[in-house]
Amino acid sequence: MGRIKKKGTAGAAKNFITRTRAVKKLQISLPDFRRLCIFKGIYPREPRNKKKVSKSSTASTTFYYTKDIQYLLHEPLLNKFRDHKALAKKIGRALGRGEAGDAARLEKNLTPKMTLDHIIKERYPTFVDALRDLDDALSMLFLFANLPSTSAVPPKTIALCQRLCLEFEHYLIISHSLKKSFLSIKGIYYQATIQGQDILWLVPYKFVQNITGDIDFRIMGTFVEFYTTLLGFINFRLYTSVGLVYPPKFNAGSDERGGELAAFILEGKGLDSAQTVVNDAVNANGHVPKAITSAAAQAEADKLAELPAPEEETEDSTALVAANGEEESTETIDTFEVTGQDADVLPQPQATGVETSTLFSPFTIYLSRETPRQPLEFLLKAFGCKRVGWDSILGDGAFTTNELDPAITHQIVDRPPLPRESLPAVPDAAPATAGEGADAKPAVGWPRSTVPGRTYVQPQWVWDCVNQGKLQRPDLYSPGATLPPHLSPWVKPKKGQYDPTAPLAEQELEGEAEEFEEEEEQIENGQEAEESEHEKAAPLKLNGKRKSLDVLLDREGSIEPGEGMDVAGSVSESEDEDEGEALTPDEEFDGFSEESESEVSETEEVRLQHQRELEAEARGVPVESLNGNVQPKSKTAEARKKFAKKRREEAEEKERLKMMLPQKKRKLLNRIEYGANKRDKESELLRKKRRKIESVKGGK
């Protein structure tokens, strides 16, 4: 007989450990245990059977893997936590004795310094692994960079987050790694591609943040401490890969004046400007250079700079092409068109990195005071614009602060054009100096006047150009115009779904436009209102009783010649019997009123119409021919009936084919059809709304 195993020593009970036992085993406090788990990337686990793990206990307990806790026993940070705990005891003892100077000296000289460098190397063996985990880090750091300083969020942490985020933005500008951006309710989403890895993060808007008391900033501060170390390593690697000196020089005076990106001065090792290295590499090789070491960046850039640009063509080659009659190559991208209704939709080719990186390079753009300067400056510079100006009140670092500068080609405004009477008065100009002249006038720009030759657009134009990879029509984004829909660049409409960007004629089903036109005609002619009134059939009053109009019509239509008052047991008598009421001689006839006369005339018209229908049926001719007003059938009505018949036949054919399937597959097909029908109804509703909007615009 084998040895009997003790309960809880093998299996799932051995693989998991409770949080209380883990804290006791590591001999640290619960807050330090939480910090250590966040640093090391260890999270609670959910066992399949809690009763087996917790030894039949049903209490709510947090479990960890036993191997993870064993791994933490050899962590060097444990000694730092214990030293900090011992120092806290010494400081508390000194304060208890009233020795404040000794307590300050102990805190200044004996506070243990913790570094997370070894943890970064353990969790991310390669640089690509660190890039894959950069999404949450950037979102958290950009959030803390926009928070106000409080007791829970110290100013040093905010300044560190701002510096790291701006350094990362500078690399994206230099390398042209930014690809897409989207304005949402939560904030601004950005996507960059670095060494083949797509990184998506969220940046909040520059609003005043209201910090509530239900946020645990201790946990978030632990994540920020880890993420700042991670982003510092990544920035160092990215800067050195393109031959930049890290960290870049920081101008504190410019930062105090709101310079932000302009407060950093980038320098290359052995070069006057690191931007020259990247630009030469882009122009010569056709794409952004890959990550290389700083020492090799100089040699690689020199080799690429000596190569001739492939885009340059000599006069002889141009003349040869013209002589042969060959067409010159265009810069447009080929697109794959759908050949059939049920054909697969192929992904369209996107613009290359060189085309998008120089999207705004020929322009000089001026930002008005009401526009968000920080995201616009970052986007414009990341896509090639070297000359971005704004008013001096927005901060330091502008290319020009003069709104009337003739070099400005585009001005981004976010205010509609207003009549001159509603604008405030122009302040008096400052007294002119001797050099300026006495005839100097105050510089007044938008919205009082526009500069000839300058394009005025709204901020959404920049985002739509970036997402589409090409310049959009500026007239669609003129001040005060209704902007096109701003859609997420990461959500692509699937087959059968509503696509706001595609024309309505390409998406609507067969016969859908005719049905909409028929509904509009019915609404205009008031047919729907008449039908609803006929269905309701307001009761009429006859001989002191209320009767339905349908009953009267049925009765009049059923009377044959020779009958009439000889019919016994009328409808009114049966109703009187059911209600248990008897009519007195005085109530039988109370004279004719105007209402009763109109009712009699209506019933007479109905009777005559019924008589005409019987005569037309006997002769075999339409009723309209008897009246003399034959109306031709509407083409839309005929098309609608044709398409309805076709759909009905297709549905019947589908039902017949469905009956041939086994029951299991038939149920699966029903579930698929349910989801497809739900999607089609939603798409049809959206198309109907869009068609109504377009019809209203067309009418105006």
Side-chain angles (χ1 to χ4, degrees), residues 33 38 81 85 96 102 133 160 224 258 294 324 360 373 412 414 422 485 506 530 548 578 585 591 598 624 637 651 682:
F33 175 76
I38 292 173
F81 291 152
K85 185 177 181 181
D102 293 344
D133 202 18
L160 179 60
V224 168
S294 59
N324 296 334
F360 304 112
R373 174 213 144 186
I412 301 178
D414 202 9
S422 62
E506 298 179 1
E530 294 178 2
S548 176
D578 295 337
S598 62
E624 292 79 0
E682 294 176 354

Side-chain angles (χ1 to χ4, degrees), residues 392-597:
S392 58
I393 197 174
L394 296 179
D396 193 16
F399 171 76
T400 177
T401 57
N402 182 15
E403 186 177 352
L404 302 180
D405 192 341
I408 299 173
T409 59
H410 291 70
Q411 183 170 350
I412 301 178
V413 299
D414 202 9
R415 287 181 292 179
L418 300 174
R420 187 177 296 272
E421 295 79 11
S422 62
L423 297 174
V426 181
D428 296 335
T433 59
E436 295 177 355
D439 297 334
K441 297 182 179 179
V444 180
W446 179 266
R448 292 182 176 84
S449 63
T450 57
V451 179
R454 183 180 301 182
T455 304
Y456 291 84
V457 292
Q458 299 188 45
Q460 186 181 328
W461 177 76
V462 178
W463 271 271
D464 288 352
C465 291
V466 167
N467 293 335
Q468 296 295 330
K470 59 182 179 180
L471 296 175
Q472 302 296 309
R473 290 172 48 188
D475 58 319
L476 299 177
Y477 302 86
S478 59
T482 302
L483 296 173
H486 182 60
L487 306 174
S488 173
W490 302 286
V491 178
K492 301 298 181 182
K494 299 180 181 178
K495 182 180 179 181
Q497 289 184 347
Y498 172 72
D499 186 7
T501 59
L504 193 59
E506 298 179 1
Q507 306 182 63
E508 58 187 7
L509 301 177
E510 191 177 11
E512 187 175 343
E514 287 77 5
E515 291 181 3
F516 178 77
E517 293 178 1
E518 187 73 19
E519 292 178 1
E520 290 294 325
E521 291 178 359
Q522 291 179 0
I523 293 174
E524 291 177 359
N525 298 332
Q527 295 181 3
E528 293 183 355
E530 294 178 2
E531 291 177 0
S532 61
E533 291 178 4
H534 183 271
E535 291 175 359
K536 292 179 181 178
L540 301 177
K541 202 167 186 178
L542 184 62
N543 294 335
K545 289 293 177 181
R546 303 181 68 87
K547 296 185 178 181
S548 176
L549 180 60
D550 296 336
V551 178
L552 291 175
L553 295 179
D554 293 339
R555 183 182 176 188
E556 292 292 337
S558 61
I559 296 177
E560 297 292 336
E563 296 182 358
M565 300 305 295
D566 297 336
V567 179
S570 63
V571 179
S572 62
E573 293 176 357
S574 62
E575 289 183 358
D576 293 339
E577 292 175 0
D578 295 337
E579 296 178 2
E581 298 179 358
L583 296 177
T584 60
D586 299 335
E587 294 177 346
E588 289 181 359
F589 181 74
D590 196 15
F592 293 99
S593 61
E594 295 180 359
E595 296 180 358
S596 62
E597 291 177 359

